[in-house]
Amino acid sequence: MALPVRMKRGLAGGLALGALALPLSACIPDGPRGPRPELTGSIPSSAPSMRRASSKEWSGEDGASGSPEMTASAIRAAAANFKSCVAAMGPEAARRGVTQANFQRLTANLEPDLKIMDFMDSQPEFTKAVWDYLDVLVTDARIARGREILAQYKAQFDAVERAYGVDRYIIASIWGVESNYSTQGGDRSVLNSTATLACIGRRQNYFRGEFLAALEILNRGDLTPDEMVGSWAGAFGPTQFMPTVYKRFAVDFDGDGRRDAVKDVADLIASTANKLKTDGWQAGQGWGYEVSVPRGFDYMMADRSKMLSLAQWERLGVRRANGQAFPRPGDHAFLLMPAGAQGPGFLMLQNFRAILRYNPAESYALAIGHFADRLRGGGPFVQNWPRSERVLSRAERLELQQLLARRGFYQGEPDGQLGSATRQALRSYQASVGTPADGFASSDALARLRAN
């Protein structure tokens, strides 16, 4: 469901390319030296396995993107050249340290998985509201399982939290959301999927790097091909790393000589913490607060670029929804109103941005933060979501962007995905016509744009 990683469904932004849009850093800090038997632990073999994909036929149709590389004839031509394409990547693999023997062994039986072309270029309707998204991800059953995981692997969580300063509840939340605690994670060979996408389709340059990174991981001996099974886009493991992310952030935390963030719990927890820390996680700070805003509030302030201290937000009338004081009034945050004036607000701290670098969909990051709070014993959100509000279809979202562009408020290419740029454009339009500038793409906002 979530992805750095695979294709994820973001709420405010429709389809979010989680793993495919991750900012990456270059360094992996060395893990502790020498085996640490007190941290050994593997994911129980009784957990449902990540099964291999059954062979399904490609539709044989042109892709919906209109890319010349996604026409049926281009796909067939590239598939016919697949073996040569893979072989041509041998010299670059060698420059990365992959031995010739390993390259030949690992690529000998690769075949193009053309069904991936249908997944890659589909344009499904993503119309799930943020409250529905949260309902799916943050469930009583998942919270209960998460607490069991935290208790079962307490020694590993303790050690990782000391080493990296990353909140254990956030790591457990990501593990739960990304793979439902290692019971769901994809069923395709990562090597075969990334090889297919490196040679066929419209993102070959990107996936060439992922394929080569997968070869490096296997050549190093961190994992076996059978352990690298994941989504059609190549994300794998309990916290769904793409190969380049795994290569850069995976650590051998228990000192057994392998960076195994698939089955080794200590390495899994530490690798996820390493990525979050590198992406800016601040030790001792939360992710954000549910807040209420006063009547007549200037919603133009609800913008990622407007970072104010919590004390400054209080002077603007913003209060915690539970009535408690902000514990660290000097911390800086931006205001997020995912359902506009009709729903709860959130003051998001630096750590929310670190989660966004795991997956850039705001709805995903909100789900991770809220799930973490529930794992530590917190309750549901205090304020109600506008559940009676009709969510716009993709065609309507596209029309809304086009109408905003026609009026000079939206500068991007209309794509039906309502991200921060669209929300800012809608706020500017709402302010110009004297309605609450909350940036919420409601049916009323679309009707007003149509009428004007």
Side-chain angles (χ1 to χ4, degrees), residues 45 58 101 146 174 242 251 278 284 327-328 336 368-369 401 432 438 446:
S45 59
W58 167 49
I174 290 173
M242 289 295 284
V251 295
T278 306
R328 296 162 47 130
L336 177 67
I368 294 297
Q401 289 176 317
S432 74
D438 61 5
L446 177 59

Side-chain angles (χ1 to χ4, degrees), residues 93-115:
R95 284 191 288 273
R96 295 179 178 221
V98 179
T99 67
Q100 183 177 10
N102 277 342
F103 182 83
Q104 292 176 343
R105 174 177 62 85
L106 293 168
T107 62
N109 297 319
L110 296 180
E111 297 288 343
D113 181 359
L114 296 187
K115 182 61 182 175

Side-chain angles (χ1 to χ4, degrees), residues 156-242:
Q156 290 90 338
F157 279 108
D158 285 346
V160 169
E161 203 167 59
R162 285 194 300 270
Y164 292 94
V166 177
D167 179 10
R168 70 185 64 202
Y169 297 101
I170 290 290
I171 297 172
S173 176
I174 290 173
W175 187 356
V177 165
E178 291 290 353
S179 68
N180 200 8
Y181 298 109
S182 304
T183 63
Q184 301 166 352
D187 56 6
R188 280 180 155 76
S189 160
V190 170
L191 198 62
N192 203 70
S193 292
T194 54
T196 297
L197 291 162
C199 294
I200 307 168
R202 60 185 169 81
R203 299 204 65 191
Q204 294 177 33
N205 288 338
Y206 169 81
F207 283 105
R208 198 166 290 126
E210 297 298 340
F211 172 66
L212 291 165
L215 286 172
E216 289 180 81
I217 293 165
L218 294 168
N219 181 78
R220 176 173 168 152
D222 289 323
L223 300 171
T224 66
D226 285 342
E227 290 170 331
M228 291 187 71
V229 177
S231 74
W232 65 262
F236 67 100
T239 54
Q240 290 285 278
F241 280 179
M242 289 295 284

